[in-house]
Structure formats: structure tokens, C-alpha cells
Amino acid sequence: MTSTAAPPAEDRTTPGAVAETPLAAGSPAPRRDRHARRFGLPVAVCLVMGNVIGGGIFLLPASVAPFGTISLLSFAVLTLGAIALALVFGRLAQRHPRTGGPYVYVRAAFGDFAGFLAAYSYWMTAWVSNAALAVASVGYLAVLFPAVGEHRWTMCLAALAVQWLPALSNLAGTRYVGAVQVVATVLKLVPLLLVAVGGLFFFDPANLGPFQATGQSPVGAVSASAAILLFSYIGVESAAVSAGEVRDPARNVGRATVLGTIGAATVYLLGTLSVFGLVAHEKLVSSQAPFTDAVNAMFGGSWGGTLVAGAAVVSMLGALNGWTLLSAQTPYAAAKDGLFPRVFEKKQRGVPVVGVVVTVVLASALTVYNYTAGSAAVFESLVLITTFTATVPYLLSTAAQLYFLASGQGERVRGGRLVRDAVLAGVAFAFSMWLVAGSGYAAVYQGVLFLFAGVLAYALMAARKHRAAGTAAE
């Protein structure tokens, strides 16, 4: 039987809890910054979809084509796991509607150290991935502007510009971040939906090829293709990380997370299915631009390459716009709790400006290193490591939800939803473990080393926090 007593307004024993300080009588209300604006539900949905759908979608059909149409089953399985994870983030955001997302939930459940690991791994994932996304966009830019690809330094400058333009959008304020995100999401969805929906009218079943194109068992084929697709859904936590900038986060974060994930999954599945039916299987398995081939098959001519290249650039700029904001939000939340340097607390126009600047500077340095040293192997290794570090906050967040449910904390568990929430958390935990396994042995090994390197930083931050607490008590 569920108790009808209202839960306490604030659990002061919960790590990370933040009490709101009421304004003194007669004190003026804080001035509203016209450059800062909290995100409504549509912008929050665009943030999730824009961050989930980056540039990889333009190669996905060719990547999974060698396994046959059985790879579409992998999409279905992964989508169920991603939606379960999205629902868990929505439930966690209802209980802790604060900026920081996974960091906030993990710290509330397991304390400072686990919270720091979630924040540190998420932050490292963001800036390394931003560099990788910018470098990948250069290939598409070269299709639109051939001069970009003529020399490595023009390529480097183009990659830097792709990083700094979204950073400047972020520094202008959350009002502009939201506007750019909506515009970028709409612009990149138009050509994708053109293929995903319009392509169904040109669909030719003869192009599908075999259901299972490898000698593996059905389970083996699904698992192998899923390993390629697993990281297509990273970014489902985007609205939760920016909960402090979302209007009515307890209500809208969960909705935005689920709607954004379902929207991205629909584009992925329909787009891949349409490309399968538009491009002959034997051609698709070796295609370097499957969406270009699909557009050319629909309308003839060779203008599909320009259209797809433009959509890819817009897609990556939109993803960088969202990820730049997210990369600053987690350090901001951790800095507020004394677990990151205090400078990350600085906020202007609704944006943690220091976090944005530090992130883009680190990503830019990695980009310049990539083009200067020509060390593609090192760069690719770092990117692979981030595929592991990205899953650490997921795993810890789902564990936090299981902890809240199993510990029976009344303000976090509603009796009628206990079984449903437990099942969702269990599925999301299994999905997160699958993401870790899909990273590969090398990425997990090296990722753990990078993660543990952050322990030294935690020791210094924790010591500073302890000294400050001791000084305040005297």
C-alpha cells in the first residue's frame, strides 16, 4: 500500500542535494539575461536527436550490409535497449532535476568518488569525441569546397572552424544554442527523411540481398552487426545532462529523452531499410557513400553527393553544438560540489563558459596534433577509448537507479511503479554492459587506465574540499 504522506522537500543526507535559498523580503528579483533561455520540450527533443544522430548515420547502411538484412533485427534490439535507458534517465531526472545528469544521480547514490568518475569519464568522452567529429566532417566539407582537401593545413583549419563555430554559439547563450540546435536538426532531417520515407516509394525488394549474408549463426550475426551499431545511440542522456536549462525538468527531461531516442531510432531504421531497397546489395557492401547512391537511384544524376555532403556537415555541426554544451555541464555540476576546479562554476548567459572554452581548446589541441604529427593510429586509439568511457556513466546511472529501488527510499520509489522501474533498470543495465563489451578488449583496457588516471585529480579535489570544510567549521 502506498503511503499518501508527502515526501520531505529535501533529503539533506543525500550527497549532491542542493537547497534553494529564498530571496530575502524586499530584495529585488534577479535580472533576467535576454541571452539565456531555458529549453522547452521541442528544443530538448532536438538536443537529444541532434546529439544521437551525428555523422555516422551516413555510413551505417554500408557498415552493416555485409551481414545481410538480419542487421535490421539488431536495430530493433538496440532500440529497445536505448529506449529502456532513456526511460531510466527520465525517472532519474524526475528525482534529481539538476544540471549534470549521470554525475548527479551517481553521486546521490554512491557518493563523491563514484560521482567524480562519472563526471570525469563523461567530460573526457565529450572533448575527444568533438575532435573526432570535427576531423570526420572535413571529408564532407571537401566535397562542397574542394580546396579544403588540397593540403593538410587547410584540412586542419577547416576542422578547427567546425569546432569553434558551435563553441561561439554556446558562448552567445543558451537562447542561441537552442535556436541553432532546432535549425540544424530540421536541416539535417530533411534529406535523411527524403531517403528514409521517400525511398520507400522506390523500394525494390530485389536489392535487399540475402537475409543472412555470413556463415554465422543468426545470434552471432545479430551480435556482430550490433557491435557496429551499439554506439549509434550514445547521446540519449543529453536532456538529463542539461536538466537545469530545461523548463519543468521533472516533467520534460523524461519526455524529451524518450521522444528524441524514438525519433533517432525511426530515422536510423527507416533510412537503413530504404538504402537496402534502393542500392543493390553487392554495390552497397563496398559503398563509400550509401545515402548518395540511394539519392542517385531515386532521382538519377550525380547531385546526390552534394546533397548528402551538405546534410552531413549540418548534422555534425548540430551534434557539435549540442555536445559542446554537454561537455561543459557535467564539470559545472561537479565544480559546484567541489569535485572539479572552481573555475568551471563560472556561468554567463546560462552557459558554463569556462567549461566550453576548456573543452574546445583541448579538442582543438588534439586536432592540431592529429594533423601535425600525422599520428592517425594514436588519434583513432583515443576515439576508441572514448567508446568505453562513454558507457561508464550509463552503467553507473542504471546501477544508481537499481540502488534507489532496492534500498526502498520512499521519496524515490512509488509502490505501483516499483516492478516496472526495476525491469526497465535491469534492461538498461544489461544494455550498458553490452555497450562496454562492444568496445573491445583494447578499448576497455586503455579506457580503464585513462579512468584511473583521474583518481589523482580526485584525490587533490577531495583534499581541497576537506580543507575548505574544516576551515568553515572553525
Side-chain angles (χ1 to χ4, degrees):
M1 182 176 179
T2 305
S3 171
T4 57
E10 182 70 46
D11 179 5
R12 298 187 183 278
T13 64
T14 301
V18 175
E20 297 292 336
T21 304
L23 291 172
S27 60
R31 292 179 60 187
R32 182 177 179 183
D33 189 339
R34 64 187 180 91
H35 299 290
R37 180 176 295 173
R38 303 188 84 187
F39 301 147
L41 180 61
V43 176
V45 171
C46 287
L47 183 65
V48 175
M49 287 191 68
N51 287 355
V52 171
I53 302 175
I57 186 174
F58 296 96
L59 290 175
L60 273 182
S63 299
V64 297
F67 298 97
T69 52
I70 195 173
S71 57
L72 296 175
L73 292 179
S74 300
F75 264 122
V77 173
L78 290 174
T79 298
L80 292 177
I83 291 174
L85 186 60
L87 288 169
V88 169
F89 275 121
R91 295 289 293 132
L92 287 168
Q94 287 180 353
R95 298 163 192 139
H96 295 280
R98 290 179 51 204
T99 292
Y103 158 74
V104 173
Y105 317 141
V106 174
R107 182 171 180 261
F110 306 123
D112 285 354
F113 182 60
F116 172 82
L117 289 181
Y120 172 76
S121 60
Y122 195 83
W123 178 61
M124 188 175 70
T125 298
W127 65 263
V128 175
S129 297
N130 280 5
L133 200 56
V135 170
S137 70
V138 172
Y140 293 105
L141 276 172
V143 175
L144 301 174
F145 309 102
V148 168
E150 290 181 356
H151 193 277
R152 67 174 179 174
W153 287 117
T154 56
M155 296 169 67
C156 181
L157 289 174
L160 292 175
V162 167
Q163 291 175 52
W164 279 94
L165 286 175
L168 293 175
S169 165
N170 274 261
L171 293 174
T174 51
R175 176 179 183 177
Y176 303 99
V177 174
V180 170
Q181 199 65 29
V182 170
V183 172
T185 301
V186 171
L187 287 178
K188 75 179 176 184
L189 284 181
V190 169
L192 288 174
L193 290 176
L194 173 67
V195 175
V197 178
L200 297 178
F201 294 96
F202 298 85
F203 192 91
D204 184 357
N207 288 328
L208 290 176
F211 176 70
Q212 191 173 341
T214 65
Q216 299 171 286
S217 66
V219 174
V222 169
S223 297
S225 56
I228 297 173
L229 302 170
L230 277 173
F231 303 101
S232 301
Y233 286 106
I234 287 178
V236 298
E237 75 291 343
S238 300
V241 174
S242 295
E245 279 61 58
V246 177
R247 287 197 295 269
D248 191 8
R251 179 183 180 88
N252 285 333
V253 167
R255 291 182 172 186
T257 302
V258 174
L259 290 175
T261 301
I262 291 175
T266 301
V267 173
Y268 279 154
L269 187 57
L270 287 180
T272 302
L273 178 62
S274 292
V275 172
F276 274 16
L278 289 167
V279 184
H281 181 262
E282 59 272 13
K283 180 180 180 181
L284 183 59
V285 294
S286 59
S287 175
Q288 298 298 312
F291 273 82
T292 295
D293 294 336
V295 172
N296 291 340
M298 291 169 65
F299 303 111
S302 57
W303 54 274
T306 301
L307 175 68
V308 172
V313 171
V314 170
S315 180
M316 291 183 178
L317 283 171
L320 280 165
N321 182 64
W323 276 107
T324 299
L325 177 64
L326 298 192
S327 67
Q329 298 285 25
T330 299
Y332 166 79
K336 295 279 286 185
D337 295 325
L339 297 180
F340 255 61
R342 290 191 185 122
V343 69
F344 283 93
E345 289 186 56
K346 185 174 178 60
K347 207 171 189 181
Q348 292 180 356
R349 303 182 179 92
V351 175
V353 291
V354 173
V356 169
V357 172
V358 171
T359 292
V360 73
V361 167
L362 288 173
S364 297
L366 182 57
T367 301
V368 172
Y369 175 72
N370 176 62
Y371 285 105
T372 302
S375 52
V378 174
F379 188 75
E380 290 171 4
S381 296
L382 286 172
V383 174
L384 287 174
I385 290 168
T386 63
T387 61
F388 164 73
T389 58
T391 63
V392 172
Y394 293 173
L395 199 61
L396 291 174
S397 295
T398 54
Q401 173 71 335
L402 289 169
Y403 165 79
F404 292 144
L405 296 172
S407 61
Q409 299 180 42
E411 73 276 16
R412 296 185 173 84
V413 182
R414 298 180 183 178
R417 298 180 177 179
L418 178 60
V419 174
R420 186 200 69 178
D421 284 356
V423 170
L424 284 173
V427 172
F429 186 86
F431 178 68
S432 301
M433 285 294 291
W434 197 10
L435 286 172
V436 172
S439 302
Y441 292 109
V444 171
Y445 170 72
Q446 295 174 41
V448 168
L449 292 180
F450 268 77
L451 198 61
F452 285 175
V455 174
L456 176 60
Y458 171 77
L460 298 175
M461 293 296 103
R464 186 197 68 184
K465 182 179 179 182
H466 180 74
R467 286 198 308 271
T471 301
E474 292 177 355

